[in-house]
Amino acid sequence: MSFEEYAALARQLSAQHRAGEQHAAAESARRRDLHAAVDYLQQRLTAQGQRLDQLGRAIGIDQPPPAPAPAPGTPGETAAWPSPPSGAGVPTAPSSGPPFAAGAPTAPGTGDGEVAGAAGAPGRAGVGAYPQLAAGEARLALPTAGSPAGGGVPAQRVAAADPAVELELARRMADEADRHGQQTELLAQRPALLPTWSPLARAVAVYAACGAAAGVLVLILVLASGVGLVDGFTLGAWICAGLPAVAFFGGYLVLGRWGRPAMVAGTPPRYLPLGFLICFLVVPMAYCAYLLMVRGLR
């Protein structure tokens, strides 16, 4: 080999070595990026799981207790080694003479004085792990894809998935889960009663509705007083104090039960002075409106 050929071979080996190092560095960087992406997705999934638990507790869903781990030694939980299939034992050749002839070399056995099949006596007729069949019988005995015996034939190996593609799909699913989670939180921050209204408008509507209901009761009491079922003192007490207080506490309870969002910390404002004023004005105003209507009709 000349010096030029040796130098060319050295340059070729050096180039292959540098290419291998570059490939190894690129593969190492790719693996680091994949591990970083997996850790980031794991953190996101953990945070999503915690947020889902908070949402479940907010809407009153009890979390199922974790299943207890099976105790070691429990019947039915211990791992069992697979037993050899029936009929797969090693047959031994029948022999009329003694198992070990004088001067004959001893073959390895199974430990109980028997020859270990084809491994113990290679080349002997009738000895082997499988029965000897004729050519035609062996051809007929082979399992086919459509036969029941061919069900255990392994299928074609599926191509391995690309980790980068799988991580990208997982990231998109995590983004979709975040979007649905944000929509759920927005819905959970709205109360069941008049969800699109502001807290002040909701409180005014609730107190006014309770006052209107109390005004209807005032009209019923006035009619009952006209026929002599209710005296004047009782009617005045209910109009001035009883029914306005009932309307106020009714609105207060309605706002506390259906006007409170599920995901808002603390107690939302119920505007007590405004509610008190509305209820104690609507009921007497309803009575005054009834009196004006009666006098107008007369």
Side-chain angles (χ1 to χ4, degrees), residues 50-94:
Q50 294 175 357
R51 194 58 179 168
L52 288 177
D53 292 341
Q54 293 178 1
L55 289 174
R57 288 191 297 268
I59 63 178
I61 297 179
D62 296 332
Q63 300 296 327
T74 306
E77 298 293 339
T78 57
W81 291 98
S83 58
S86 60
V90 180
T92 57

Side-chain angles (χ1 to χ4, degrees), residues 19-43:
E21 288 181 349
Q22 293 176 358
H23 178 72
E27 183 67 20
S28 178
R30 189 181 72 89
R31 288 179 179 272
R32 284 197 302 269
D33 294 340
L34 290 178
H35 283 295
V38 168
D39 294 338
Y40 174 68
L41 285 177
Q42 180 66 28
Q43 294 175 1

Side-chain angles (χ1 to χ4, degrees), residues 207 244-245 248 271-282:
Y207 286 123
F248 172 73
Y271 302 96
L272 301 184
L274 179 63
F276 186 84
L277 180 63
I278 291 175
C279 293
F280 276 85
L281 284 179
V282 169

Side-chain angles (χ1 to χ4, degrees), residues 9-298:
L9 181 59
R11 286 193 297 269
Q12 182 180 1
L13 291 177
S14 178
Q16 291 180 357
H17 180 69
R18 285 196 301 269
E21 288 181 349
Q22 293 176 358
H23 178 72
E27 183 67 20
S28 178
R30 189 181 72 89
R31 288 179 179 272
R32 284 197 302 269
D33 294 340
L34 290 178
H35 283 295
V38 168
D39 294 338
Y40 174 68
L41 285 177
Q42 180 66 28
Q43 294 175 1
R44 288 188 62 183
L45 293 177
T46 302
Q48 288 177 1
Q50 294 175 357
R51 194 58 179 168
L52 288 177
D53 292 341
Q54 293 178 1
L55 289 174
R57 288 191 297 268
I59 63 178
I61 297 179
D62 296 332
Q63 300 296 327
T74 306
E77 298 293 339
T78 57
W81 291 98
S83 58
S86 60
V90 180
T92 57
S95 176
S96 58
F100 299 100
T106 58
T110 60
D112 53 359
E114 297 180 358
V115 180
R124 292 177 55 184
V127 178
Y130 302 97
Q132 300 294 330
L133 297 176
E137 296 178 358
R139 183 171 60 255
L140 294 176
L142 290 176
T144 59
S147 63
V153 178
Q156 186 178 2
R157 181 178 297 178
V158 182
D162 188 5
V165 176
E166 298 296 328
L167 285 176
E168 179 63 22
L169 293 177
R171 187 190 62 79
R172 292 180 182 179
M173 292 181 182
D175 293 340
E176 190 73 12
D178 285 338
R179 187 176 65 84
H180 287 290
Q182 292 175 0
Q183 293 178 356
T184 304
E185 290 180 2
L186 291 177
L187 292 177
Q189 291 175 1
R190 295 181 178 181
L193 179 64
L194 303 176
T196 59
W197 289 30
S198 65
L200 179 59
R202 186 183 306 108
V204 170
V206 170
Y207 286 123
C210 293
V216 174
L217 295 179
V218 166
L219 298 180
I220 295 175
L221 288 177
V222 170
L223 294 178
S225 176
V227 296
L229 295 178
V230 179
D231 57 356
F233 178 78
T234 303
L235 178 63
W238 276 105
I239 291 175
C240 296
L243 289 177
V246 171
F248 172 73
F249 284 108
Y252 180 84
L253 295 177
V254 168
L255 287 176
R257 176 61 180 84
W258 291 283
R260 179 179 180 180
M263 291 297 296
V264 173
T267 303
R270 303 187 190 182
Y271 302 96
L272 301 184
L274 179 63
F276 186 84
L277 180 63
I278 291 175
C279 293
F280 276 85
L281 284 179
V282 169
V283 176
M285 287 175 60
Y287 179 68
C288 295
Y290 173 76
L291 293 179
L292 292 176
M293 183 180 62
V294 170
R295 287 187 179 183
L297 293 177
R298 288 181 181 179

